[in-house]
Amino acid sequence: MNSNQLILIGLGLAIIIFVPLLLRIFTNLLIPTSDNNYRYRKQDALFSNTERSFLGILDQAVGEQFRILGKVRIADVITPEKGMNRKHWQIAFNRISAKHFDYSRIQLRSATRTHLKLSPQLNSTIKAISKHVLSNATSSSSKPAKAPNCH
């Protein structure tokens, strides 16, 4: 056997082994499964204790002319602009569809909105502020409250 024959035999074996494997991988990626037996469980709470505390603080701060909504999906607030082809519209939509604003302020009479997405650092600051506010609200001390150290 010469080297050309060995190369052809090697390529033939590679094709026999890898083509079915690649077909199976692409089939699994491109064709959705027909198994609709997905199971879900109820979450215990929509907000963590810290988020709920902060929501209460926001509600008190905005008064009666506004309402604070939590975990509003960004795609429910904005949508990609018209004029792009379907593929680019879908790409733009997918970038926002699984993300949410932590809190949204809605002005009740005009339905204008303001949105707040918290960074992890801000989230820890809010946690410190919430704990401080809650501890002062529940303490019977008449000392003036000091602001927490937040970095």
Side-chain angles (χ1 to χ4, degrees), residues 72-80 93-94 96-101:
V72 175
R73 194 174 66 127
I74 293 175
D76 290 334
V77 176
I78 62 172
T79 189
F93 180 79
N94 289 344
I96 61 170
S97 67
K99 296 181 174 122
H100 68 273
F101 291 110

Side-chain angles (χ1 to χ4, degrees), residues 1-12:
M1 280 192 188
N2 66 24
S3 64
N4 285 340
Q5 288 175 329
L6 288 174
I7 290 173
L8 287 175
I9 291 172
L11 283 173

Side-chain angles (χ1 to χ4, degrees), residues 18-140:
F18 289 111
V19 167
L21 180 65
L22 290 173
L23 283 173
R24 183 171 181 133
I25 290 171
F26 286 124
T27 302
N28 288 341
L29 290 175
L30 298 176
I31 299 174
T33 102
S34 61
D35 181 19
N36 292 332
N37 235 358
Y38 301 116
R39 298 182 58 113
Y40 299 93
R41 65 181 175 83
K42 180 183 168 201
Q43 293 282 23
D44 291 334
L46 181 60
F47 296 104
S48 70
N49 290 337
T50 303
E51 290 170 331
R52 181 66 192 109
S53 296
F54 187 63
L55 180 60
I57 291 168
L58 288 176
D59 277 335
Q60 289 176 358
V62 298
E64 292 183 15
Q65 58 182 289
F66 296 99
R67 176 161 293 146
I68 301 294
L69 304 175
K71 300 191 181 191
V72 175
R73 194 174 66 127
I74 293 175
D76 290 334
V77 176
I78 62 172
T79 189
E81 290 189 1
K82 294 179 180 178
M84 59 181 97
N85 67 34
R86 178 73 180 152
K87 177 183 174 183
H88 288 121
W89 186 94
Q90 192 64 51
I91 291 170
F93 180 79
N94 289 344
R95 287 185 179 171
I96 61 170
S97 67
K99 296 181 174 122
H100 68 273
F101 291 110
D102 291 332
Y103 300 97
S104 294
R105 181 186 76 164
I106 308 294
Q107 188 168 10
L108 294 178
R109 295 198 195 276
S110 68
T112 58
R113 302 174 280 231
T114 305
H115 309 286
L116 176 62
K117 180 132 181 86
L118 302 179
S119 68
Q121 297 84 7
L122 183 58
N123 211 2
S124 64
T125 300
I126 289 169
K127 191 173 190 175
I129 291 170
S130 296
K131 281 183 181 177
H132 180 75
V133 169
L134 287 175
S135 67
N136 282 339
T138 57
S139 78
S140 58

